[in-house]
Amino acid sequence: MSFIEVKGLVKKYKTGDVEVAAVDDVSFEIEKGEIVVIVGASGAGKTTTIRSIMGFIKPDKGSVQVNGLDAWNDAVEIKKNIGYVPGEIAFPSFKTGMDFLKKQATYLELSDLSYMYELLDLFKLDATANLARMSKGMKQKTALVAALMGDHDILILDEPTTGLHIADVHKLIDILNRLVDAGNTVVVIEHNLDVIKCADYIIDMGPEGGAGGGTVVARGTPEEVAKIPESYTGRYLAPILERDKARNDKNKA
């Protein structure tokens, strides 16, 4: 059994009198200790899929299992082992980033905050700043620190590079690589090609929901997806991988 198993996942929503399939018969497996990137156009069902994994959404059909547990029926237990950054970040009732982070530390029962401060220093983030005055990038980094500072088996990130400077993107990639090296599992929804090309495995979902979306059109390593004509991401990934290979070959020569 794989660490995360999604089988025949179907979720439909009604818009007026029209029923739209956000996710339509999606199946895939994720092994422990991998960086898996889910790609696809807006409305392709990516967020619905990861929210189903976390037990926030009950599927109409199909099943989701995380480490042998049912994602819907055992959601409380599963969430204890997941660090999560949602696509839309909100900090209700918190004045500063530090207020939010210390509340998170209490929830996680962390007595040692040294790693939290290490992450703040790494991202050059002043968490004492008023959240209402923080830029989008600063809020994003605050949410990332909150998700990263716990000892989670799984990290699920919904477009984590939104608002980040390229230097911070690469710092995040380094952290994710260290996590999987330690046996953690990382699932990321992302459009940033620097993140996508670092994946162990890519799941490419179809175009806009309701117009052929909500399905898996390609899957595999970055190199494999780059060769699949149906993958829109693969078209952009292919020349980047070729360039990187050419540079590596040149450096070895």
Side-chain angles (χ1 to χ4, degrees), residues 1 14 52 105 114 116 139 180 225:
M1 177 180 290
K14 270 198 170 182
S52 297
S114 57
M116 181 191 80
K139 290 179 180 178
V180 296
V225 169

Tab-separated table of all heavy atoms in Angstrom, residues 1 14 52 105 114 116 139 180 225:
chain	number	residue	atom	x	y	z
A	1	MET	N	0.843	-1.206	0.000
A	1	MET	CA	0.000	0.000	0.000
A	1	MET	C	0.873	1.248	0.000
A	1	MET	O	1.830	1.349	0.773
A	1	MET	CB	-0.915	0.013	1.234
A	1	MET	CG	-1.778	1.265	1.346
A	1	MET	SD	-2.856	1.256	2.794
A	1	MET	CE	-4.023	-0.010	2.340
A	14	LYS	N	-22.781	22.149	-7.739
A	14	LYS	CA	-23.843	22.737	-8.540
A	14	LYS	C	-23.661	24.245	-8.629
A	14	LYS	O	-23.440	24.921	-7.631
A	14	LYS	CB	-25.211	22.417	-7.934
A	14	LYS	CG	-25.824	21.128	-8.466
A	14	LYS	CD	-27.314	21.067	-8.186
A	14	LYS	CE	-27.939	19.890	-8.931
A	14	LYS	NZ	-29.405	19.842	-8.703
A	52	SER	N	-9.507	17.008	-0.308
A	52	SER	CA	-10.064	15.673	-0.090
A	52	SER	C	-9.074	14.802	0.672
A	52	SER	O	-9.457	14.003	1.530
A	52	SER	CB	-10.422	15.013	-1.432
A	52	SER	OG	-11.426	15.747	-2.107
A	105	ALA	N	2.433	27.231	17.823
A	105	ALA	CA	3.375	26.451	18.628
A	105	ALA	C	2.677	25.808	19.822
A	105	ALA	O	2.959	24.656	20.186
A	105	ALA	CB	4.514	27.355	19.103
A	114	SER	N	13.260	27.136	18.857
A	114	SER	CA	14.494	27.488	18.158
A	114	SER	C	14.368	27.307	16.643
A	114	SER	O	14.886	28.121	15.864
A	114	SER	CB	15.670	26.653	18.687
A	114	SER	OG	15.407	25.266	18.558
A	116	MET	N	11.623	27.572	14.886
A	116	MET	CA	10.774	28.657	14.405
A	116	MET	C	11.612	29.914	14.152
A	116	MET	O	11.507	30.554	13.098
A	116	MET	CB	9.669	28.967	15.418
A	116	MET	CG	8.719	30.079	14.968
A	116	MET	SD	7.618	30.648	16.297
A	116	MET	CE	8.745	31.740	17.201
A	139	LYS	N	3.052	37.656	4.466
A	139	LYS	CA	2.008	36.774	4.992
A	139	LYS	C	2.241	35.331	4.555
A	139	LYS	O	2.038	34.395	5.329
A	139	LYS	CB	0.640	37.262	4.526
A	139	LYS	CG	0.194	38.564	5.165
A	139	LYS	CD	-1.152	39.002	4.632
A	139	LYS	CE	-1.589	40.312	5.271
A	139	LYS	NZ	-2.885	40.794	4.725
A	180	VAL	N	12.220	15.707	2.559
A	180	VAL	CA	12.037	14.392	1.921
A	180	VAL	C	13.252	13.503	2.166
A	180	VAL	O	13.116	12.276	2.268
A	180	VAL	CB	11.730	14.511	0.417
A	180	VAL	CG1	10.413	15.226	0.196
A	180	VAL	CG2	12.833	15.200	-0.340
A	225	VAL	N	7.083	13.600	-17.826
A	225	VAL	CA	5.978	14.511	-18.140
A	225	VAL	C	6.351	15.453	-19.277
A	225	VAL	O	5.506	15.809	-20.108
A	225	VAL	CB	5.556	15.292	-16.876
A	225	VAL	CG1	4.601	16.432	-17.222
A	225	VAL	CG2	4.914	14.349	-15.864
